Amino acid sequence: MAENKPITKNVDWVVVLIYIACLGIGWVNIYAAVYNPEVNMSMFDLSNNAGKQLMWIGTAVLLIICILVIDYKFYETFSFIIYAVIVFLLVVVLFAGSNINGSRSWIKFGAFSLQPAEFSKLAISLAISKYLSDPAISLTRKLKDYYPIMGIIALPAFLILLSNETGSMLVFASFAIVLYREGMPGFIPAIGMVTAALLIITLLFVKWYIAGVIIVIAGLAIWLMPVMTRRRGGLWATIIIGFVMIGIVFGVDFFMNNVLQKHQRGRIMVLLDPDSDPRGIGWNVIQSKIAIGSGGFSGKGFLQGTQTKFDFVPEQSTDFIFCTVGEEHGFIGSAIVVILFVSLISRLVVLAERQRSRFARVYGYCVAGIIFFHFMVNVGMTIGLMPVIGIPLPFFSYGGSSLWSFSILLFVFLKIDAQRPFTLSRG
Amino acid sequence: MLESRRFVIIGFFALVGLIYLFRLFYLQVLDESYSIESSSNSIKRVIEIPFRGQIYDRTGKLIVYNTPVYDLLVTPYKARVEDTLRFCQVLGIERHDFDSLMAAASAYSRVKPSLFLRQLSKEDFASIQDVMVDYSGFEFAKSSLRTYTAPTLANTLGYVSEITKGQLEKQEEPYYRQSDYIGQSGVEKIYENELRGKRGTKFVMQNVSGVYKGPWKGGELDTMAVAGANLYSGIDLEVQQYADSLMVNKVGSVVAIEPKTGQIISMVSAPTYDPNILASRYFSKNYAALARNPYKPLFNRPVMASYRPGSTFKLIQALIGLQEGVITPESGFTHANCPVGCHNHPATGTVALGVTHSCNPYFYNVFRRIIYKNNIQNTFKASAVGLDAWHDAISKFGIGQRLGIDLPSEYKGNLPNKKYYDRFYGEYRWKFSNIYSLSIGEGELLITPLKMANVAAIIANRGYFYTPHVIHGVGDSKKVNPEFLVRHETGVAPHNFDPVIEGMIGAVEAGTARRSRVEGITIAGKTGTSQNKRGDDHSIFIAFAPAENPKIAIAVFVENAGAGGVAAAPIANLIIEKYLTRKITNKALEERMFKSDLMSKVILTGQKKPVSADTAKKKPVATPQPARTNP
C-alpha cells in the first residue's frame, strides 16, 4: 500500500513547483510593496509584512508535511466533521470575533489573526465531494439531489454574510464549475453568465434599446429555428427566455437601487466608468491601472515602483499585490503570473480527471474552481475588468489565513492524488 | 459524455487567461498614458535656486553679496506646540499671528511643509534654533537675501523682489514660478539673466500625501545649480559714498565717467535710500513708504530725469561752429543787436573767452551762423535746412538719443529738428528767430545728467566716447559687452576742442566756477543754469580733469539750487579731487556743501513725468522770451 512508498515519488511535482514559484514571487513582491527606501528594512524582519509572510510560509510548510503524513482516507472520512467544525468556528466568530476593517470575521492570537471564512472553502469542498461520492447522486436528472448541495453552501454563506465578508461569500460561485462537470445542465451557468452580462449592458445602455434588441434576436431565433424544434416547444421556450431577459433588464434597476448596498453599487458603477468618482471608489481602480500600465513591457525594476511604494495603490501587499508585479516587472512579469495560474488550474483539472474516485475528482475540481475564481476576480479588478471585491490572490497576497487555507486546499488534493494508484474506482 | 466537459472548463480557463493577457498587453505596452500619469503622480520636480551673482566695484570691493537667511516652515500635522505663549515670545510674534499663520498652513496642506516665517536673519536663527528643538513639526529652509556693503547706489543697482503676476504671465519661456525672485530695476534687472545663475533641478519621489521619499532614479537626471555670474563695475565705492554725502539734502544727480573707457565711476540719484531696506522681510512696507515719498527716491534721476542743459550746451555749439567752419578760434562777438541778455563780463574776443564767461550773445551768434550756413535766400527754408544739419551734428554727441547704458528706462531727452517745429508752426512758417533759445541750451532741449556727463567725456577725449556703462565685466572671465567697446565718433576734429577746453579751464580758474577751483588739479568745466517754470533754476556743472590727461568726466545737477557755480560746481570739483587725490584740501567748501540743505527749495507736485517733460511737449513760445542772466 501507499504507506510503503515515499510520498515524494507520487506527488505531482508540476503543481508543487508552480506552488513554490507562486510563493516565491509573491513573497518578493510583498517585500517590494512594503519596502520603504527611507528605512533600511530586511525581508526577514518580522515587523513588516514580508517578514511575517515568511513566517506564514514556514508554518504552511509544516502544515503541508502534516497533510502529506496523514492518511489520505482521513479527509474523505472526516469531511463532514471538518465541515461541522468550520461552521462552528464561523458561528463562534460572529460572537467572539475581533473587528478588523468593518468585518467581524477574525479570531486573534496575539499579533496574528485568523479568518475562519477562509477555511470555509475547504469545508464546503470536502462536504460537496463527500456528498457527490455517493454514486446514486445524479445531478443530471434529479432536482432533489441539488438540495443538500445548496444547503452545504448556503449555511456557511449565510454565516459569512452576517460577518460582513461578502467577498469571501462570492467565491462560492466557483462551485458552479464542479457542478457543471458533474452533470449540471449547461443552461444554468449559461443563464448566470447571461444575467451578469445583461446586468452590465443594462447599466451602459438605455433599457428600452436592449429590450428591442432582445426581441429582434428572439424573433430571428424563432424564424431560423428548424420547424421540428419550434413545434416541440422551442417557440415558447424562446419567447419565455426573451421575456425573462427583458425582465432582468428592468429588474437590474431595482436590483441596483434597492438590493445592493451603496458601496457595492459604487464598485459596479466604477467598473463601468472609473472616472465617475476618481477620488472615491474609482481611486483604487484608477491608481491600480496606472501602476500596472506604467510598468511597460519590462517593468520599472525590483523596488523601483513609485505607484505602489508611495501608497498610491491601497492594500498593496494584500488584495492589490498584482499591481506591484505589474509595475515593477511589467508585461513580462504579469504574463508569467497569469500563465502560472492558468497552468496550475489546468494541471489541477488534468489531475482531477485522472482520479479513480468520484470524491477525489470532485474535490480536485473544487480546488481548481476556487483558485480560478480568486485569480479571475483579483487580477481582473486590478486591471479594471472586474468590480473591486476584496479577495486575495492565492499564494501571492499577504495573509496567513489565505495562505494556509489555499495550501491546505491544494495539498489535501495532492495527497489524495498521490494515493491514486492504490485507490479503487468507485465513481 | 460528462468527461468531455473538461475541455469546456479548461477552454474557459484559458479564455479568461487570454483575455487578461491581452488586457495587460494593452495597458502596459500599447497605452502610454499610464506611465505619464504615474510620473505626475509620484515624481516631483524640485527647483534649486542658486546664489545670485555678486557685484564688485572698480577696486575689487564687494558692493552686493548674499546673506543666508532662514525661512521657518511648518508641517501642520506634525506640529506640536505645547506652550504657545513661549513659542510666540521666542519668535517675536503675537498670539493671533500664530493662529492665523497656523490656519493658513493647515489650509494649504496638513502633510506638506508651508512657510511660517520668512527670512529670519542668521542672528535670529541662532537665538531660536535651540529653543525650536522643543517644538516638533517646524523646520528651517535656507534661502538668501541681497546685502549691500554700503547704503548707496540704490537706484543704480536696483532691487530684487518677488515676481509680479504680470511678469509671470509675460515671460516667454516658463522659467520663473510664483514667489520666485527677480531683478526689478537697475543692474539687477538688466543683468538678471547673468546674475540668476542656472537653476538646479532635482527629481524627487513623493508618496500619495506629497511627503518626500528620496531622489528619483538615484538622482541621475538631476542637474546641479550653478551660482550666478559675478559682475564687475567701474563704480568707485569710496567716491560714490563721498558723492552721496555731498548730495544729502539735495535733489539731483551726479554722474562720473572714466572718459577713456565709458565706465561709470559714480552715479548718485538724490535723494536716495538704503538698498538694504528693500532686501528685507519688510520689503512691501518699505517699498510703499518709498513710493509715497514726495521726493521720489525710486526715480533714477541720472538716466530718467530731464532738464534743459542751459549754458553747458554752449560747449557743443562752439564745437559744431568750429567744425562747420562758421567761426574760428579767434572769432569774437559783442552784445550788440542780440535778443538774449547777458551779464557783465570782459570782452569775449575768442571762443575760449566766450566759453569762460558763458556769454549768451556770443553763442546766439554762433548758432545763428550754424543755422544760416547754407546759402538759401529764403530764411524760412534756410532755417529748416540749417536746423536739420545742426540736429544731425548734435545727435552724434548722444543728445536726443538713448546712449544705451546698462540701466533700464533710460530717457531719450529731446533734440528738436525741422519736423518738431513744423508740428507747431507748420512747414516753413518758422525761422531762426523762433528757435534761437536753443543756442544757449534753453527752449525745447531736454537732456539727462548722464548725457551731459557723456558730453564732458567726449570733450575730454577730444571727439569720441564709449557708451557709458556700469558693468564692464561679467563672470570669472570678466566678459565685456562688445557694444561697450565700440568707439563712437562725433565727427568734430580734435584740434577744434583746443579752444573749447581752454575756455573750460578758464571757467574754473577765473570764470563762472572760479569759487570751487581745486589747488593742484587742472579742471576743465562749464557751469549751466537750467531755467524751469517751477521754481529756482537748476544748478548744473560738467567738467573733466585733469585737463592734460583726463581721468574723470563728471556732470552734477542740483535741482532749484540756482546758478551752476553755486552748488553743482563745488560738488563736482570736490568729487574730482576725491577721485584723483583721495583727499580734500578745501575743507571749508566741503563743510558748506555737506550742510547746505536745498530740499525746501524743491517744488513738489504730484506729477509722475520727468521734471520738465511737460514743458517739452508744450507749444514753444512764439515770441522770444527775454532770457535772464545766464552765466
Side-chain angles (χ1 to χ4, degrees), chain A residues 38 180 184 287 289-290 292 294 296 300 306-307 310 312 326 330-331 334 345 365 372 376 380 383, chain B residues 3 5-6 12-13 20-21 23-25 27-28 34-35 37-38 41-42 205-208 212-213:
Chain A
E38 285 170 4
Y180 171 70
M184 181 169 73
Q287 293 301 331
K289 270 158 73 180
I290 291 174
I292 293 172
S294 67
K300 295 177 183 169
T306 51
Q307 276 292 110
F310 302 142
F312 288 96
F331 177 70
S334 321
I345 297 156
Y365 266 103
F372 169 75
M376 180 178 77
I383 55 179
Chain B
E3 265 130 66
R5 282 189 172 183
R6 80 175 95 162
F12 180 60
F13 292 166
Y20 282 15
L21 283 179
R23 173 69 173 177
L24 283 165
F25 190 76
L27 280 181
Q28 300 186 297
Y34 290 106
S35 22
E37 272 192 63
S38 148
N41 247 345
S42 52
M205 300 185 288
Q206 57 177 21
N207 75 357
V208 64
Y212 174 73
K213 287 287 177 185

Side-chain angles (χ1 to χ4, degrees), chain B residues 118-409:
Chain B
R118 178 173 269 249
Q119 295 164 348
L120 295 163
S121 71
K122 217 166 159 182
E123 293 73 39
D124 287 345
F125 172 68
S127 68
I128 63 173
Q129 194 188 8
D130 296 338
V131 188
M132 290 309 289
V133 177
D134 299 343
Y135 305 99
S136 59
F138 289 88
E139 58 189 312
F140 290 98
K142 226 169 151 180
S143 81
S144 72
L145 268 188
R146 282 309 236 184
T147 313
Y148 304 84
T149 38
T152 182
L153 286 167
N155 281 331
T156 307
L157 297 172
Y159 62 93
V160 171
S161 78
E162 249 177 58
I163 190 164
T164 63
K165 218 176 157 193
Q167 287 172 322
L168 208 56
E169 283 160 8
K170 265 208 317 240
Q171 56 177 333
E172 280 159 23
E173 281 171 54
Y175 182 86
Y176 299 95
R177 302 153 308 159
Q178 204 168 357
S179 84
D180 276 349
Y181 279 76
I182 185 170
Q184 295 287 15
S185 69
V187 169
E188 298 275 16
K189 180 176 182 174
I190 295 291
Y191 292 96
E192 168 67 18
N193 289 359
E194 288 81 11
L195 285 169
R196 72 188 181 190
K198 228 177 99 189
R199 288 176 173 201
T201 314
K202 279 203 299 188
F203 292 93
V204 300
M205 300 185 288
Q206 57 177 21
N207 75 357
V208 64
S209 323
V211 176
Y212 174 73
K213 287 287 177 185
W216 184 54
K217 287 197 172 173
E220 64 179 62
L221 294 174
D222 298 0
T223 53
M224 288 288 290
V226 179
N230 291 338
L231 301 184
Y232 298 90
S233 79
I235 300 282
D236 185 314
L237 204 53
E238 191 189 348
V239 173
Q240 171 70 31
Q241 284 187 268
Y242 183 67
D244 273 334
S245 63
L246 291 170
M247 290 300 284
V248 168
N249 289 328
K250 291 154 201 93
V251 175
S253 306
V254 175
V255 180
I257 300 174
E258 188 179 59
K260 292 276 176 293
T261 57
Q263 290 177 17
I264 292 191
I265 296 164
S266 169
M267 190 177 242
V268 180
S269 173
T272 186
Y273 61 95
D274 181 352
N276 286 302
I277 65 170
L278 288 190
S280 73
R281 50 198 270 219
Y282 308 109
F283 170 82
S284 26
K285 208 177 80 191
N286 291 337
Y287 185 86
L290 288 173
R292 274 199 308 269
N293 188 322
Y295 293 104
K296 305 199 182 309
L298 290 169
F299 182 55
N300 192 13
R301 290 183 164 82
V303 297
M304 292 162 82
S306 56
Y307 309 89
R308 290 165 167 178
S311 300
T312 55
F313 195 70
K314 290 171 183 167
L315 299 171
I316 305 173
Q317 296 286 41
L319 289 169
I320 303 294
L322 288 165
Q323 181 65 28
E324 302 279 317
V326 296
I327 52 167
T328 66
E330 275 70 43
S331 298
F333 298 98
T334 63
H335 290 181
N337 300 324
C338 180
V340 290
C342 202
H343 57 119
N344 274 331
H345 57 76
T348 49
T350 61
V351 170
L353 286 172
V355 170
T356 297
H357 299 296
S358 196
C359 178
N360 288 343
Y362 191 101
F363 290 96
Y364 169 84
N365 286 307
V366 171
F367 187 45
R368 189 186 159 83
R369 285 194 185 182
I370 295 169
I371 295 298
Y372 286 140
K373 186 197 168 196
N374 51 65
N375 293 318
I376 299 166
Q377 291 299 311
N378 183 326
T379 49
F380 292 104
K381 284 192 175 163
S383 297
V385 172
L387 183 72
D388 269 354
W390 174 83
H391 175 274
D392 292 348
I394 303 278
S395 299
K396 292 189 177 154
F397 284 75
I399 309 290
Q401 321 291 317
R402 279 193 188 88
L403 290 175
I405 190 181
D406 47 357
L407 287 176
S409 318

